Amino acid sequence: MSEPLSRRTAGTVYVPAPRVTGLVELLDRLDRAVATALSPITSAEGVSRDGWRVLLMLARGGGRSMGEIASHTALPAPTATRVVDRLVASGMAFRNTDPVDRRRVLVHLAAGGREVVERVCRRVERGAGDVIGGSHTVERAQLADLLEALAVRN
């Protein structure tokens, strides 16, 4: 445990444990690397990073409410609505009334959106394969499992 601020020597800076900052720094670097790799690919498809997150969510199947989309993407509801509006306008998604609750509207992946997801995923998989090896290595499967475990806890 660190000393209270009043007991520290003037001019010293609190430095967190190296193991924790190491992981946080690696995750931050990974986030930036993914954004750097994805940005030109998704931009070429006419999709923002937020739009890409929505497309991936919709690609998992089933219709999603705007509340689910906003929650999953951590976007404010008005921003999520604008992102979905753009995806609908570009033919990548469509809205339908929920058959169970006619008051709700669900967003679905359109054929154009599925094609974009498939193209982007193929390109990213090829690039990742160049960096971390073939798509079916034990290490890659372990990495995917660990990242999924981190994502689920959040």
Side-chain angles (χ1 to χ4, degrees):
M1 186 135 198
S2 72
E3 292 182 338
L5 287 174
S6 60
R7 295 185 132 188
R8 291 187 197 162
T9 308
T12 62
V13 177
Y14 169 73
V15 179
R19 196 173 95 221
V20 173
T21 58
L23 177 60
V24 171
E25 182 181 5
L26 286 172
L27 291 172
D28 181 58
R29 286 173 49 201
L30 179 62
D31 179 58
R32 284 181 285 161
V34 168
T36 300
L38 268 178
S39 183
I41 299 169
T42 56
S43 292
E45 296 287 350
V47 180
S48 66
R49 187 165 184 192
D50 291 334
W52 174 246
R53 287 182 178 135
V54 173
L55 286 177
L56 281 179
M57 180 185 190
L58 297 176
R60 291 185 188 104
R64 303 297 176 140
S65 71
M66 287 306 303
E68 290 172 306
I69 291 170
S71 175
H72 179 79
T73 58
L75 293 171
T79 302
T81 299
R82 283 191 297 276
V83 168
V84 169
D85 287 346
R86 283 193 287 273
L87 293 173
V88 169
S90 64
M92 293 183 211
F94 64 93
R95 291 181 174 100
N96 263 350
T97 304
D98 184 341
V100 176
D101 182 351
R102 308 283 302 159
R103 297 168 296 174
R104 280 178 24 137
V105 173
L106 300 178
V107 182
H108 300 266
L109 187 66
R114 180 155 315 283
E115 291 168 4
V116 168
V117 169
E118 289 171 359
R119 280 194 303 268
V120 170
C121 285
R122 272 195 305 271
R123 287 186 63 188
V124 170
E125 285 287 327
R126 275 197 308 267
D130 294 344
V131 175
I132 61 174
S135 62
H136 300 292
T137 64
V138 172
E139 293 86 1
R140 190 168 177 168
Q142 288 172 334
L143 175 61
D145 289 344
L146 291 169
L147 291 173
E148 179 67 24
L150 281 172
V152 168
R153 288 185 183 183
N154 212 359

